Amino acid sequence: MQTQQALSEVRLPAMDDEASGKVHLGDLLTRRALTSIRGETVPIPDADRLVHLQFRRYAGCPVCNVHLRSIALRHGELSSAGIREVVVFHSKAETMLEHQRQLPFAAIADPGKRLYAEFGVGKMSALAALNPRSWRAAFYALTHSPSLRGATGKGEEHMGLPAEFLVRPDGRVIAAKYGKFADDHWSVDEILALAAG
């Protein structure tokens, strides 16, 4: 499969914090081409613009999909600012097509979590899952989601955490965030401010 072939080419340089495998500010990413759920080739980094690379939880995650809807609504602003949106889920492409097909930006399936491992994207601890912020985020998402189809994410890991990176055309990471809760992510305003800075 083309997606799996592209994922096998992902390599990152040695990190200072090799135990965590996390990507840090200033790290240089190796160029690679991934394949979206719609069959598009997605270069990371992109030679012409910044890439906002997001790692989300499972495809039917209401918290993730409410957040992605906020990004989709302002996608024109992000594009005008020279930012290419790319989102990765640890779900199969078939499942993602049910939930992310309408996104105006690239969505990547990584069911084997190979990219997640390469970028050091982790899981939520039991303590974080019990935190009131996690419950508030879930309640908000469940009451504001346009569709709860797939919210249970049968057979998929529910304890994942988000992570996101802003990558220059030369592959340099200029911003990185590892979320501590399901809704711990940059807003569109924060993404635009980081890109402008």
Side-chain angles (χ1 to χ4, degrees):
M1 182 177 195
Q2 194 174 4
T3 302
Q4 292 304 318
Q5 200 170 19
L7 291 178
S8 67
E9 296 167 4
V10 174
R11 290 182 297 285
L12 293 175
M15 313 284 174
D16 292 337
D17 185 5
E18 289 184 35
S20 71
K22 291 187 175 181
V23 174
H24 298 94
L25 188 68
D27 283 346
L28 190 63
L29 302 185
T30 302
R31 293 195 181 278
R32 79 284 318 264
L34 304 176
T35 303
S36 79
I37 59 173
R38 292 188 292 251
E40 308 154 317
T41 299
V42 182
I44 297 177
D46 187 310
D48 300 318
R49 50 195 163 163
L50 293 170
V51 171
H52 174 221
L53 178 63
Q54 312 178 52
F55 288 83
R56 297 283 143 212
R57 295 157 28 99
Y58 59 99
C61 170
V63 174
C64 304
N65 289 314
V66 165
H67 178 63
L68 289 176
R69 192 171 69 205
S70 74
I71 291 175
L73 288 171
R74 295 181 65 189
H75 185 248
E77 283 179 72
L78 292 160
S79 291
S80 295
I83 303 166
R84 180 177 193 164
E85 286 293 327
V86 179
V87 62
V88 181
F89 279 89
H90 58 72
S91 299
K92 295 177 182 174
E94 300 77 34
T95 307
M96 288 179 64
L97 283 166
E98 293 178 38
H99 302 281
Q100 285 80 43
R101 179 190 308 267
Q102 301 304 320
L103 289 176
F105 46 85
I108 309 295
D110 183 19
K113 296 187 181 180
R114 296 177 73 179
L115 278 175
Y116 284 77
E118 292 283 348
F119 281 79
V121 181
K123 294 181 182 179
M124 188 182 318
S125 69
L127 193 58
L130 294 174
N131 187 292
R133 178 171 170 170
S134 294
W135 288 99
R136 277 194 303 271
F139 177 78
Y140 179 85
L142 289 169
T143 56
H144 288 79
S145 181
S147 170
L148 294 179
R149 188 182 78 256
T152 58
K154 291 178 183 174
E156 295 185 292
E157 172 64 52
H158 285 70
M159 298 300 281
L161 286 170
E164 51 198 318
F165 310 91
L166 201 55
V167 184
R168 282 192 330 212
D170 65 359
R172 189 74 58 191
V173 176
I174 60 170
K177 179 178 182 71
Y178 286 91
K180 294 183 172 74
F181 304 97
D183 71 332
D184 190 7
H185 40 236
W186 292 324
S187 68
V188 172
D189 290 331
E190 288 172 311
I191 297 164
L192 290 167
L194 286 165

